[in-house]
Amino acid sequence: MTIQVKDISKRFCSTQALDNVSVAFGENKIYGLLGNNGAGKSTLLNIITSRIFADNGTLNLDGVNMVDNDHALNQIYMLGEKNYYPESMRVKDALKWAQAFYPYFDHELALEIAQRFNLPLKKKITALSTGYTTIFKIVIALSSNAPFLLLDEPVLGLDAQHRDMFYKLLIECYTKNPCTIVISTHLIAEVAGIIEHCMIIKDGRVIKDAPCEALLHNGYTLTGPAALLDEYLLGKQVLSHSSLGGLKTASISGAIPNAEEIPPGLEIGKMNLQEYFIQLMSDENNSVARFMEDQ
Amino acid sequence: MQPIFDPHKPIFQSISEWLKGAILTGIYEEEGQVPSITEISMQYKINPATALKGVNQLVDAGLIYKKRGLGMFVSTGARAQLLAQRQDQFFDDYVQPLVSEAKSLQIGAHDLKDMVERGYQ
């Protein structure tokens, strides 16, 4: 099964939240949806699940329109910011009711995961702490057995130990019951090893959409004396640069060159996903970077 | 023994190097079972496809083999093969950088030899 998002745009008053977004989510892959606050990640996920509607564009599941299509939406579980359960409902009742809403929901699995996290079943959902509210959502998401799991900030408010448990559990569920997973998160370093394909959103536009490995093979850093580096950088697509005295480091977009192509005195380095993301986000509009350079 | 995840190296490579090291040191013995893809990916929180890619490098090199339905096992002779490989690479991986660092510190060949002998004692 494949979700096809085509030319989706969405405007909230004066903000263009999504601008002609086209992406596809293929079967049984783990995607990372990365972007700064307000980039449009949640808007995209909310549109895919018909929680809000796009101004224009199409959404298809295997070629069939999925907007307000119950069959298509049954294939998707979304863990989002909002809680749609009644305020007075207790955790165990919510887990029971989930069976009615999600056709593939595994109630026993939900109880087992809840126990692993020590989720208090008798508490009211609204009385749970921030961390346990997230755990409650995780329990339902991982037990939903839906072919598509959209996880919007799935570790919000979780402590290090619970995050660790969640990532392991996610992989366990994925290997037992392969599905497509889309993780939207700010903790890039933590998911870098898990995600296979990366989509980076900036100001409502998808600026990168590629397998992680290919993405990281398309960026590198060079460090060396400023004059020497500046000369080499002519004609290269520089993402960002910083200076420390006469020593300059630049992040460059493009295929990693061979060591022989680099002038002696310059040192080449690779970027990890988080570094790459940060460099990609810091452009001339980044006031902090500009301020530092003015000094 | 843990894999060393060099953030600047592909993860699958870290996995294959870790597994080779573990076979070389005898943590996984010849004809003994190695962890499954699920176990590896859960333990190190990595995508199962990545773990598989790392492990498959050893399968392709004949260091481990798959038994259908049972799991993966270390081949007989894998240790000797790895040992020979590491010995071949020893000059490039260790001696070259050692000599280049010694040169930059103005340590001559004679002094370096003395130090190596001291290291053996």
Side-chain angles (χ1 to χ4, degrees), chain B residues 16-88:
Chain B
S16 71
E17 277 163 22
W18 156 73
L19 200 50
K20 282 179 188 169
I23 292 170
L24 192 65
T25 51
I27 291 171
Y28 302 121
E29 289 176 10
E30 292 184 354
E31 297 307 320
Q33 194 166 9
V34 296
S36 71
I37 299 298
T38 310
E39 284 171 318
I40 296 172
S41 47
M42 271 178 69
Q43 179 71 37
Y44 300 115
K45 290 172 275 175
I46 56 170
N47 192 299
T50 312
L52 182 68
K53 197 172 169 186
V55 169
N56 272 346
Q57 294 218 310
L58 278 80
V59 175
D60 293 343
L63 294 166
I64 57 177
Y65 63 96
K66 289 175 182 170
K67 269 192 206 169
R68 194 175 276 271
L70 288 175
M72 295 176 294
F73 296 82
V74 180
S75 311
T76 300
R79 253 188 100 181
Q81 193 183 330
L82 282 170
L83 198 64
Q85 225 172 54
R86 290 274 176 108
Q87 282 169 348
D88 278 350

Side-chain angles (χ1 to χ4, degrees), chain A residues 164 168 175 193-194 213 270, chain B residues 8 38 41-42 45 47 53:
Chain A
D164 188 78
K168 286 181 177 171
T175 47
I194 298 175
E213 227 171 273
K270 282 186 80 176
Chain B
H8 304 110
T38 310
S41 47
M42 271 178 69
K45 290 172 275 175
N47 192 299
K53 197 172 169 186

Side-chain angles (χ1 to χ4, degrees), chain A residues 121-142:
Chain A
L121 295 177
K122 288 184 182 151
K123 264 200 176 175
K124 285 182 180 170
I125 296 164
T126 43
L128 295 171
S129 65
T130 314
Y132 271 105
T133 303
T134 300
I135 289 171
F136 166 69
K137 291 176 187 172
I138 286 173
V139 168
I140 295 190
L142 293 181

Side-chain angles (χ1 to χ4, degrees), chain B residues 87-108:
Chain B
Q87 282 169 348
D88 278 350
Q89 289 166 359
F90 185 77
F91 185 81
D92 286 344
D93 288 355
Y94 294 93
V95 180
Q96 291 274 36
L98 176 75
V99 170
S100 115
E101 174 76 359
K103 277 184 184 166
S104 73
L105 295 175
Q106 295 168 3
I107 297 170

Side-chain angles (χ1 to χ4, degrees), chain B residues 106-120:
Chain B
Q106 295 168 3
I107 297 170
H110 185 75
D111 290 337
L112 188 59
K113 263 187 225 160
D114 283 352
M115 281 188 220
V116 172
E117 266 169 30
R118 211 166 77 207
Y120 264 100

